[in-house]
Amino acid sequence: LIACCPAPASCTALRSADKGSRVQRGDAKRFMRLVAMSVQIGGALLHHGALLPHTLVERVPHRERLVLSFILEFLECSRLPAQLLVNGGYVRDMLLQKQPDDLDVSLCLRKCEPGVTVATIMDSLPAFALARPDLAVSDVQITTILSDASKDKNVDTAKMFLSAGEPPVKVEVDVMPTIGDEHYDDVNRVPVRDVRGTPEQDALRRDLTIGAMLLQVEHGAALPLRDGAAAAADALTWTLLDYYGGLEDIRDGVLRSPYPNRQPLKQVWSEVLRSPEEQLLASQLGIVPVVDAADSAAEAKMLQRVWWVKVLRDDPVRVLRALRFSAKLGFTLHEDFWWAVP
């Protein structure tokens, strides 16, 4: 990916050009609706598109900030228009004001050339670490653990161990692309995936809203060349992406699946309940189409119920995950979970 390693100053100069695309907000009306869903956490009013306050960011270990800053510097030096996103339980734990662990990141590669993948980016990082000792990451080891089924189904994942800080300490990071549409079959639980999805699509495939929030990480004002790697890592900005109400569910102590709130129920119904037998069983369980399409509250409720069916059918182990999180966090399972559980 890199024919030569640009000087740090030239990498920094690339940043301002990309600030205009900081958050994929969609249309203004939808963004304002998401902003209106504000929740007080850690002394700050948080909503979709908000910057995390220092009180939450300081919970991120310094070496993990160094690692994220290192990846960002590589993307900028390589002129790759990719978004770096922290996802899953790491974000959930930060918002629960706990110490986060298990750093999982996603790369949104939609604007990159087709040949750019997680694998090609990972392959370039060890040489980049050697060429840029100023970034405080001295070694990068890549291990990709994929089953044969995963390889066949276009799952592009990697596990990295990066030696960061002084003295160097290994930091483990799992990396995936943002996933778009995914389809399961009856043979195994590895889906066929579109690896050029949007952050919003990637969030929708999660099983719980509290784990569907993302943090878009970007370099702040500090420049690595002038201020050093530690200052650049501490100046990272963390923008919260909450497309499906995870903040509200954390506030209310509710476990709920995200659902496609911009798709009509009729479309989702036909995608989830494909056969006459499935539709008959659904109706026997009280999962029926909404007669009055103008009744938005009833439609949203049924969308939630139908999507729970998809979430649990795609991976029945999610039933146990939901029960485990309910016990662990003391959260209440959303009432529609019990309509959809097998």
Side-chain angles (χ1 to χ4, degrees):
L1 282 174
I2 323 178
C4 60
C5 196
S10 65
C11 295
T12 301
L14 299 175
R15 289 181 191 140
S16 59
D18 192 47
K19 291 298 182 183
S21 60
R22 161 170 283 189
V23 180
Q24 302 298 316
R25 293 180 172 177
D27 61 273
K29 184 181 294 186
R30 171 171 163 76
F31 177 71
M32 291 309 297
R33 182 179 65 78
L34 291 171
V35 167
M37 298 161 61
S38 300
V39 174
Q40 190 85 17
I41 293 179
L45 197 61
L46 296 182
H47 54 76
H48 174 77
L51 291 175
L52 287 197
H54 178 70
T55 53
L56 294 180
V57 174
E58 67 182 359
R59 295 180 179 276
V60 179
H62 180 67
R63 283 183 170 82
E64 294 182 5
R65 293 185 230 174
L66 285 173
V67 165
L68 293 170
S69 182
F70 168 80
I71 297 172
L72 283 171
E73 189 73 8
F74 171 80
L75 296 174
E76 291 159 3
C77 288
S78 305
R79 300 179 182 270
L80 293 177
Q83 290 173 276
L84 177 63
L85 303 151
V86 177
N87 63 56
Y90 201 94
V91 181
R92 178 198 66 231
D93 288 346
M94 286 181 69
L95 296 174
L96 287 170
Q97 301 181 67
K98 297 181 178 181
Q99 187 70 26
D101 57 12
D102 296 331
L103 181 57
D104 294 338
V105 302
S106 299
L107 293 172
C108 183
L109 305 175
R110 286 177 67 84
K111 296 182 179 179
C112 297
E113 295 295 325
V116 176
T117 66
V118 166
T120 60
I121 291 173
M122 296 302 102
D123 287 345
S124 298
L125 289 180
F128 186 71
L130 293 176
R132 293 291 304 277
D134 58 303
L135 298 177
V137 172
S138 56
D139 182 59
V140 180
Q141 299 176 12
I142 311 295
T143 60
T144 302
I145 306 173
L146 295 178
S147 66
D148 291 337
S150 299
K151 294 174 183 176
D152 292 341
K153 294 189 174 186
N154 200 29
V155 180
D156 183 22
T157 64
K159 183 183 291 292
M160 294 191 296
F161 294 91
L162 304 96
S163 298
E166 188 59 45
V169 173
K170 282 191 175 181
V171 176
E172 180 179 338
V173 184
D174 289 322
V175 186
M176 288 188 69
T178 48
I179 304 297
D181 292 333
E182 59 181 8
H183 305 283
Y184 290 76
D185 59 33
D186 297 329
V187 178
N188 59 63
R189 288 173 38 228
V190 179
V192 177
R193 287 167 165 162
D194 166 19
V195 295
R196 285 297 203 264
T198 66
E200 184 172 359
Q201 288 175 314
D202 191 68
L204 180 60
R205 72 185 184 87
R206 312 285 171 164
D207 55 345
L208 298 170
T209 59
I210 64 169
M213 292 176 286
L214 305 166
L215 287 171
Q216 180 170 332
V217 184
E218 296 177 287
H219 270 135
L223 306 179
L225 178 63
R226 186 186 67 196
D227 299 326
D234 289 340
L236 293 174
T237 62
W238 306 70
T239 303
L240 178 65
L241 304 181
D242 178 21
Y243 297 102
Y244 301 106
L247 278 171
E248 289 187 315
D249 288 342
I250 283 180
R251 179 196 64 196
D252 298 337
V254 173
L255 296 178
R256 180 177 61 85
S257 74
Y259 65 89
N261 46 31
R262 289 201 284 177
Q263 293 183 35
L265 174 60
K266 184 177 180 180
Q267 177 185 341
V268 174
W269 182 276
S270 62
E271 291 175 359
V272 175
L273 303 169
R274 296 183 291 268
S275 69
E277 292 78 13
E278 289 175 329
Q279 294 173 11
L280 175 61
L281 177 59
S283 66
Q284 291 172 341
L285 294 173
I287 304 175
V288 296
V290 176
V291 176
D292 184 3
D295 188 345
S296 58
E299 175 142 332
K301 184 175 182 61
M302 192 54 64
L303 266 172
Q304 174 74 81
R305 193 170 294 178
V306 172
W307 201 256
W308 259 123
V309 172
K310 180 185 186 308
V311 165
L312 301 181
R313 184 183 62 194
D314 284 348
D315 187 355
V317 174
R318 288 170 168 172
V319 175
L320 299 180
R321 271 177 49 86
L323 294 171
R324 179 169 64 87
F325 277 118
S326 178
K328 178 181 177 181
L329 301 176
F331 280 22
T332 301
L333 282 159
H334 190 275
E335 60 180 2
D336 289 325
F337 171 83
W338 302 106
W339 288 84
V341 70

